[in-house]
């Protein structure tokens, strides 16, 4: 998929309703994303949002937070059968936008380019089931151990481990990562699954390394496994569980073993923008307190990963 801007009309609708701008706002909504950043519209949204004054003035003036995201990772963010972008991250971002008085505009990109997009200021934040790690906080490339940037701060909003899955009925005795030695695993490039597979492969004995095939997105990896091109796949637990439940009506895959290395997902914010980081943290705490966060988590059936407070840089 090429990078694009996704309209967030649902969030816009609720904010328009809140300020009572009836006919004019309705016309603006019908004309698409661009008109929703009209100066008067932004001013009304900011004025009526409880935490708008915590945002940097440049963000308030823009009326949006540009979000880098790999929109191919159901149920976290993906396109439904009608082409609409949906998911856990989209719903949480919409709720945060209600608190901050701005749109969270999702822009699609491959996962391993998102932090680079932050460095180049293409995005204001990255929100894409990104695990909060010390390497990412410190701008360290996990492959080379070399510093590649200033790093980012994370506002942690969910907890998830990593799972392995196979074609249904073809587990081949796979239950743990060590069972993948001498076998082929498919996964998404630049993810924690990718890091785990490489680390485990180094431990394999007798020359039976793990054959790793990495893809731009998880759906490509699933297609490869489904066609018989690998022995197993790996992704974050919510994603793997969703694939097992939905692919082929639940007939394609099955989870094996237990999820490992549970860690927080974080919203990545450039270190040189602590004001934006703190505004997002305050908004997340607000939706946790008012119950909106729990409603979203329950809607997607991922209650096991819910957090009770927003934390900054809680990853290890």
């Amino acid at each position: 998929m090429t990078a694009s801007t996704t309209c967030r009309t649902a969030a816009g609708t609720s904010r328009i309703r809140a300020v009572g701008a009836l006919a004019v706002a309705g016309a603006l909504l019908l004309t698409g994303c661009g008109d929703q950043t009209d100066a008067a519209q932004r001013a009304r949204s900011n004025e009526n949002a409880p935490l708008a004054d915590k945002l940097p003035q440049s963000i308030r003036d823009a009326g949006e937070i540009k979000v880098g995201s790999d929109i191919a990772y159901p149920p976290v963010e993906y396109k439904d059968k009608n082409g609409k972008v949906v998911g856990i991250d989209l719903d949480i971002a919409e709720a945060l936008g209600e608190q901050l008085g701005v749109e969270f505009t999702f822009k699609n990109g491959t996962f391993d380019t998102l932090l680079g997009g932050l460095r180049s200021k293409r995005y204001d934040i990255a929100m894409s089931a990104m695990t909060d790690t010390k390497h990412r906080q410190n701008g360290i490339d996990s492959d080379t151990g070399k510093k590649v940037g200033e790093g980012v701060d994370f506002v942690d909003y969910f907890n998830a481990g990593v799972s392995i899955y196979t074609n249904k009925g073809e587990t081949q005795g796979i239950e743990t990562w060590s069972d993948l030695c001498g076998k082929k695993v498919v996964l998404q490039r630049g993810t924690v699954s990718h890091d785990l597979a490489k680390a485990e492969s180094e431990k394999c004995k007798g020359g039976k390394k793990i054959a790793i095939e990495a893809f731009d997105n998880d759906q490509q990896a699933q297609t490869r496994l489904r066609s018989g091109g690998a022995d197993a796949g790996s992704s974050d637990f919510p994603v793997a569980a969703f694939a097992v439940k939905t692919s082929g009506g639940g007939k394609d895959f099955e989870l094996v073993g237990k999820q490992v290395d549970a860690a927080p997902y974080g919203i990545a914010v450039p270190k040189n923008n602590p004001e934006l980081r703190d505004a997002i943290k305050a908004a997340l705490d607000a939706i946790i307190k008012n119950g909106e966060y729990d409603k979203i988590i329950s809607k997607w059936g991922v209650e096991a990963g819910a957090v009770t407070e927003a934390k900054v840089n809680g990853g290890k």
Side-chain angles (χ1 to χ4, degrees):
M1 263 179 250
T2 56
S4 62
T5 302
T6 302
C7 293
R8 303 291 288 129
T9 54
T13 303
S14 56
R15 281 198 291 280
I16 292 166
R17 186 182 300 116
V19 300
L22 299 176
V24 173
L28 286 172
L29 187 61
L30 289 173
T31 59
C33 292
D35 290 340
Q36 290 188 51
T37 58
D38 171 80
Q41 178 78 16
R42 294 197 302 267
R44 289 193 295 272
S45 294
N46 286 338
E47 186 178 300
N48 287 272
L51 299 177
D53 60 351
K54 291 186 175 294
L55 284 170
Q57 190 61 50
S58 60
I59 296 288
R60 296 181 68 185
D61 291 343
E64 69 172 351
I65 293 175
K66 293 177 288 187
V67 185
S69 187
D70 183 357
I71 307 174
Y73 210 54
V76 187
E77 52 262 317
Y78 67 105
K79 288 187 178 182
D80 67 13
K81 60 183 180 181
N82 298 315
K84 180 182 178 183
V85 181
V86 296
I88 299 167
D89 280 359
L90 276 292
D91 287 350
I92 290 176
E94 182 178 331
L96 297 177
E98 293 291 340
Q99 296 293 319
L100 296 169
V102 293
E103 297 285 340
F104 279 63
T105 306
F106 280 68
K107 296 178 175 292
N108 195 29
T110 54
F111 185 82
D112 58 350
T113 66
L114 298 181
L115 294 184
L118 283 184
R119 291 193 292 270
S120 67
K121 298 184 179 180
R122 181 181 182 187
Y123 316 124
D124 298 310
I125 65 173
M127 188 175 185
S128 192
M130 185 174 289
T131 302
D132 174 1
T133 67
K134 291 297 183 185
H135 275 167
R136 287 171 176 157
Q137 291 173 25
N138 297 322
I140 302 297
D141 185 290
S142 60
D143 286 334
T144 65
K146 296 181 179 179
K147 194 168 181 63
V148 293
E150 185 181 14
V152 296
D153 286 329
F154 285 100
V155 180
D156 299 335
Y157 66 99
F158 189 77
N159 286 307
V162 175
S163 292
I164 301 169
Y165 59 98
T166 68
N167 284 323
K168 199 155 193 174
E170 300 176 17
T171 64
Q172 304 176 66
I174 298 170
E175 292 187 358
T176 67
W177 279 88
S178 61
D179 294 330
L180 292 173
C181 291
K183 294 182 170 61
K184 185 175 183 179
V185 64
V186 289
L187 39 73
Q188 183 173 2
R189 185 179 298 107
T191 60
V192 172
S193 288
H194 198 182
D195 291 340
L196 279 172
K198 288 183 287 188
E200 191 62 44
S201 186
E202 292 300 314
K203 301 176 187 176
C204 292
K205 299 177 181 179
K208 293 184 177 180
K209 299 291 187 180
I210 299 173
I212 302 168
E213 189 170 4
F215 294 86
D216 285 342
N217 64 62
D218 202 66
Q219 291 169 332
Q220 292 171 346
Q222 291 173 22
T223 299
R224 179 69 162 162
L225 177 61
R226 194 182 297 113
S227 69
D231 299 294
S234 177
S235 58
D236 292 353
F237 171 73
V239 178
F242 187 82
V244 167
K245 180 180 179 181
T246 60
S247 182
K251 297 179 180 179
D252 288 345
F253 305 129
E254 65 178 283
L255 289 171
V256 294
K258 299 179 180 179
Q259 60 174 314
V260 299
D261 284 9
Y265 284 169
I267 300 169
V269 186
K271 283 191 178 292
N272 63 4
N273 203 342
E275 190 176 4
L276 177 57
R277 176 201 66 203
D278 292 346
I280 291 173
K281 180 183 183 299
L284 180 57
D285 274 327
I287 66 171
I288 291 172
K289 184 176 181 179
N290 70 17
E292 188 64 25
Y293 174 86
D294 283 342
K295 289 180 183 178
I296 294 167
I297 296 300
S298 296
K299 168 187 171 181
W300 291 99
V302 291
E303 293 91 337
V307 299
T308 57
E309 63 176 329
K311 292 183 178 180
V312 172
N313 295 335
K316 298 179 179 179

mmCIF file of all heavy atoms in Angstrom, residues 164-166 168 222 238-256:
data_model
loop_
_atom_site.group_PDB
_atom_site.id
_atom_site.type_symbol
_atom_site.label_atom_id
_atom_site.label_comp_id
_atom_site.label_asym_id
_atom_site.label_seq_id
_atom_site.Cartn_x
_atom_site.Cartn_y
_atom_site.Cartn_z
ATOM 1 N N ILE A 164 3.073 -17.813 18.288
ATOM 2 C CA ILE A 164 3.374 -18.605 17.105
ATOM 3 C C ILE A 164 2.085 -19.290 16.666
ATOM 4 O O ILE A 164 1.291 -19.727 17.504
ATOM 5 C CB ILE A 164 4.443 -19.682 17.403
ATOM 6 C CG1 ILE A 164 5.739 -19.032 17.910
ATOM 7 C CG2 ILE A 164 4.728 -20.533 16.164
ATOM 8 C CD1 ILE A 164 6.738 -20.035 18.463
ATOM 9 N N TYR A 165 1.873 -19.371 15.358
ATOM 10 C CA TYR A 165 0.712 -20.088 14.837
ATOM 11 C C TYR A 165 1.133 -20.898 13.617
ATOM 12 O O TYR A 165 2.155 -20.617 12.985
ATOM 13 C CB TYR A 165 -0.431 -19.120 14.497
ATOM 14 C CG TYR A 165 -0.090 -18.061 13.485
ATOM 15 C CD1 TYR A 165 -0.422 -18.212 12.143
ATOM 16 C CD2 TYR A 165 0.563 -16.886 13.868
ATOM 17 C CE1 TYR A 165 -0.115 -17.236 11.204
ATOM 18 C CE2 TYR A 165 0.880 -15.909 12.939
ATOM 19 C CZ TYR A 165 0.545 -16.090 11.611
ATOM 20 O OH TYR A 165 0.861 -15.126 10.686
ATOM 21 N N THR A 166 0.360 -21.931 13.323
ATOM 22 C CA THR A 166 0.650 -22.797 12.182
ATOM 23 C C THR A 166 -0.622 -22.986 11.373
ATOM 24 O O THR A 166 -1.712 -22.581 11.793
ATOM 25 C CB THR A 166 1.134 -24.190 12.638
ATOM 26 O OG1 THR A 166 0.044 -24.878 13.269
ATOM 27 C CG2 THR A 166 2.308 -24.086 13.594
ATOM 28 N N LYS A 168 -3.702 -25.024 10.326
ATOM 29 C CA LYS A 168 -4.514 -25.865 11.205
ATOM 30 C C LYS A 168 -4.232 -27.345 10.941
ATOM 31 O O LYS A 168 -4.232 -27.805 9.798
ATOM 32 C CB LYS A 168 -6.001 -25.566 10.995
ATOM 33 C CG LYS A 168 -6.874 -26.037 12.145
ATOM 34 C CD LYS A 168 -8.152 -25.238 12.218
ATOM 35 C CE LYS A 168 -8.868 -25.490 13.522
ATOM 36 N NZ LYS A 168 -10.056 -24.610 13.683
ATOM 37 N N GLN A 222 0.959 -14.180 6.385
ATOM 38 C CA GLN A 222 -0.129 -15.151 6.527
ATOM 39 C C GLN A 222 -0.426 -15.851 5.192
ATOM 40 O O GLN A 222 -0.676 -17.063 5.153
ATOM 41 C CB GLN A 222 -1.382 -14.456 7.046
ATOM 42 C CG GLN A 222 -1.285 -13.988 8.481
ATOM 43 C CD GLN A 222 -2.477 -13.156 8.903
ATOM 44 O OE1 GLN A 222 -3.548 -13.246 8.310
ATOM 45 N NE2 GLN A 222 -2.303 -12.331 9.922
ATOM 46 N N PRO A 238 -2.546 -10.379 19.917
ATOM 47 C CA PRO A 238 -3.865 -9.978 19.408
ATOM 48 C C PRO A 238 -4.017 -10.203 17.913
ATOM 49 O O PRO A 238 -5.095 -10.564 17.437
ATOM 50 C CB PRO A 238 -3.945 -8.479 19.754
ATOM 51 C CG PRO A 238 -2.948 -8.268 20.831
ATOM 52 C CD PRO A 238 -1.850 -9.242 20.552
ATOM 53 N N VAL A 239 -2.932 -10.004 17.176
ATOM 54 C CA VAL A 239 -2.963 -10.158 15.725
ATOM 55 C C VAL A 239 -3.047 -11.630 15.345
ATOM 56 O O VAL A 239 -3.838 -12.030 14.482
ATOM 57 C CB VAL A 239 -1.724 -9.496 15.099
ATOM 58 C CG1 VAL A 239 -1.712 -9.675 13.592
ATOM 59 C CG2 VAL A 239 -1.681 -8.018 15.473
ATOM 60 N N ALA A 240 -2.227 -12.458 16.001
ATOM 61 C CA ALA A 240 -2.261 -13.887 15.731
ATOM 62 C C ALA A 240 -3.619 -14.477 16.084
ATOM 63 O O ALA A 240 -4.182 -15.278 15.326
ATOM 64 C CB ALA A 240 -1.160 -14.595 16.527
ATOM 65 N N ALA A 241 -4.171 -14.084 17.237
ATOM 66 C CA ALA A 241 -5.470 -14.605 17.660
ATOM 67 C C ALA A 241 -6.570 -14.194 16.691
ATOM 68 O O ALA A 241 -7.478 -14.980 16.387
ATOM 69 C CB ALA A 241 -5.793 -14.110 19.071
ATOM 70 N N PHE A 242 -6.495 -12.961 16.168
ATOM 71 C CA PHE A 242 -7.482 -12.475 15.215
ATOM 72 C C PHE A 242 -7.391 -13.262 13.906
ATOM 73 O O PHE A 242 -8.407 -13.626 13.312
ATOM 74 C CB PHE A 242 -7.268 -10.981 14.961
ATOM 75 C CG PHE A 242 -8.334 -10.332 14.127
ATOM 76 C CD1 PHE A 242 -9.520 -9.911 14.700
ATOM 77 C CD2 PHE A 242 -8.147 -10.125 12.765
ATOM 78 C CE1 PHE A 242 -10.501 -9.305 13.940
ATOM 79 C CE2 PHE A 242 -9.127 -9.517 11.993
ATOM 80 C CZ PHE A 242 -10.316 -9.108 12.589
ATOM 81 N N ALA A 243 -6.165 -13.539 13.463
ATOM 82 C CA ALA A 243 -5.977 -14.315 12.232
ATOM 83 C C ALA A 243 -6.530 -15.726 12.398
ATOM 84 O O ALA A 243 -7.193 -16.259 11.499
ATOM 85 C CB ALA A 243 -4.498 -14.364 11.867
ATOM 86 N N VAL A 244 -6.261 -16.338 13.542
ATOM 87 C CA VAL A 244 -6.759 -17.688 13.806
ATOM 88 C C VAL A 244 -8.285 -17.707 13.807
ATOM 89 O O VAL A 244 -8.916 -18.627 13.280
ATOM 90 C CB VAL A 244 -6.201 -18.212 15.141
ATOM 91 C CG1 VAL A 244 -6.941 -19.472 15.599
ATOM 92 C CG2 VAL A 244 -4.705 -18.494 15.021
ATOM 93 N N LYS A 245 -8.873 -16.673 14.365
ATOM 94 C CA LYS A 245 -10.338 -16.610 14.478
ATOM 95 C C LYS A 245 -11.023 -16.338 13.141
ATOM 96 O O LYS A 245 -12.112 -16.870 12.871
ATOM 97 C CB LYS A 245 -10.726 -15.533 15.487
ATOM 98 C CG LYS A 245 -12.222 -15.371 15.694
ATOM 99 C CD LYS A 245 -12.509 -14.278 16.716
ATOM 100 C CE LYS A 245 -14.010 -14.089 16.916
ATOM 101 N NZ LYS A 245 -14.285 -13.010 17.906
ATOM 102 N N THR A 246 -10.392 -15.517 12.297
ATOM 103 C CA THR A 246 -11.097 -15.015 11.119
ATOM 104 C C THR A 246 -10.643 -15.611 9.786
ATOM 105 O O THR A 246 -11.445 -15.707 8.851
ATOM 106 C CB THR A 246 -10.960 -13.484 11.025
ATOM 107 O OG1 THR A 246 -9.573 -13.131 10.916
ATOM 108 C CG2 THR A 246 -11.553 -12.808 12.265
ATOM 109 N N SER A 247 -9.373 -15.989 9.647
ATOM 110 C CA SER A 247 -8.889 -16.458 8.351
ATOM 111 C C SER A 247 -9.567 -17.766 7.963
ATOM 112 O O SER A 247 -9.552 -18.743 8.716
ATOM 113 C CB SER A 247 -7.369 -16.653 8.387
ATOM 114 O OG SER A 247 -6.898 -17.064 7.119
ATOM 115 N N GLY A 248 -10.180 -17.764 6.780
ATOM 116 C CA GLY A 248 -10.878 -18.957 6.317
ATOM 117 C C GLY A 248 -12.019 -19.369 7.221
ATOM 118 O O GLY A 248 -12.339 -20.564 7.325
ATOM 119 N N GLY A 249 -12.627 -18.368 7.883
ATOM 120 C CA GLY A 249 -13.709 -18.673 8.808
ATOM 121 C C GLY A 249 -13.227 -19.476 10.007
ATOM 122 O O GLY A 249 -14.006 -20.217 10.622
ATOM 123 N N GLY A 250 -11.953 -19.299 10.372
ATOM 124 C CA GLY A 250 -11.387 -20.020 11.507
ATOM 125 C C GLY A 250 -10.815 -21.382 11.148
ATOM 126 O O GLY A 250 -10.417 -22.140 12.038
ATOM 127 N N LYS A 251 -10.726 -21.680 9.857
ATOM 128 C CA LYS A 251 -10.271 -23.013 9.424
ATOM 129 C C LYS A 251 -8.821 -23.043 8.938
ATOM 130 O O LYS A 251 -8.303 -24.115 8.625
ATOM 131 C CB LYS A 251 -11.183 -23.531 8.322
ATOM 132 C CG LYS A 251 -12.639 -23.729 8.762
ATOM 133 C CD LYS A 251 -13.499 -24.214 7.608
ATOM 134 C CE LYS A 251 -14.948 -24.409 8.040
ATOM 135 N NZ LYS A 251 -15.816 -24.867 6.915
ATOM 136 N N ASP A 252 -8.165 -21.870 8.862
ATOM 137 C CA ASP A 252 -6.823 -21.831 8.280
ATOM 138 C C ASP A 252 -5.706 -22.098 9.281
ATOM 139 O O ASP A 252 -4.780 -22.863 8.998
ATOM 140 C CB ASP A 252 -6.577 -20.478 7.610
ATOM 141 C CG ASP A 252 -7.345 -20.304 6.322
ATOM 142 O OD1 ASP A 252 -7.847 -21.316 5.791
ATOM 143 O OD2 ASP A 252 -7.470 -19.155 5.850
ATOM 144 N N PHE A 253 -5.760 -21.447 10.441
ATOM 145 C CA PHE A 253 -4.628 -21.449 11.364
ATOM 146 C C PHE A 253 -5.020 -21.922 12.757
ATOM 147 O O PHE A 253 -6.202 -21.954 13.104
ATOM 148 C CB PHE A 253 -4.041 -20.036 11.493
ATOM 149 C CG PHE A 253 -3.639 -19.387 10.196
ATOM 150 C CD1 PHE A 253 -4.076 -18.114 9.880
ATOM 151 C CD2 PHE A 253 -2.804 -20.034 9.299
ATOM 152 C CE1 PHE A 253 -3.705 -17.492 8.700
ATOM 153 C CE2 PHE A 253 -2.409 -19.433 8.111
ATOM 154 C CZ PHE A 253 -2.870 -18.159 7.810
ATOM 155 N N GLU A 254 -3.986 -22.209 13.564
ATOM 156 C CA GLU A 254 -4.195 -22.453 14.987
ATOM 157 C C GLU A 254 -2.990 -21.940 15.766
ATOM 158 O O GLU A 254 -1.850 -21.971 15.284
ATOM 159 C CB GLU A 254 -4.431 -23.927 15.286
ATOM 160 C CG GLU A 254 -3.282 -24.869 15.001
ATOM 161 C CD GLU A 254 -3.609 -26.302 15.380
ATOM 162 O OE1 GLU A 254 -3.576 -26.613 16.591
ATOM 163 O OE2 GLU A 254 -3.900 -27.108 14.466
ATOM 164 N N LEU A 255 -3.259 -21.436 16.965
ATOM 165 C CA LEU A 255 -2.197 -20.980 17.851
ATOM 166 C C LEU A 255 -1.497 -22.186 18.454
ATOM 167 O O LEU A 255 -2.133 -23.200 18.757
ATOM 168 C CB LEU A 255 -2.763 -20.110 18.972
ATOM 169 C CG LEU A 255 -3.276 -18.726 18.593
ATOM 170 C CD1 LEU A 255 -4.006 -18.101 19.772
ATOM 171 C CD2 LEU A 255 -2.129 -17.822 18.151
ATOM 172 N N VAL A 256 -0.177 -22.070 18.658
ATOM 173 C CA VAL A 256 0.568 -23.131 19.326
ATOM 174 C C VAL A 256 1.373 -22.524 20.483
ATOM 175 O O VAL A 256 1.877 -21.413 20.384
ATOM 176 C CB VAL A 256 1.518 -23.867 18.354
ATOM 177 C CG1 VAL A 256 0.720 -24.604 17.305
ATOM 178 C CG2 VAL A 256 2.492 -22.905 17.684
#
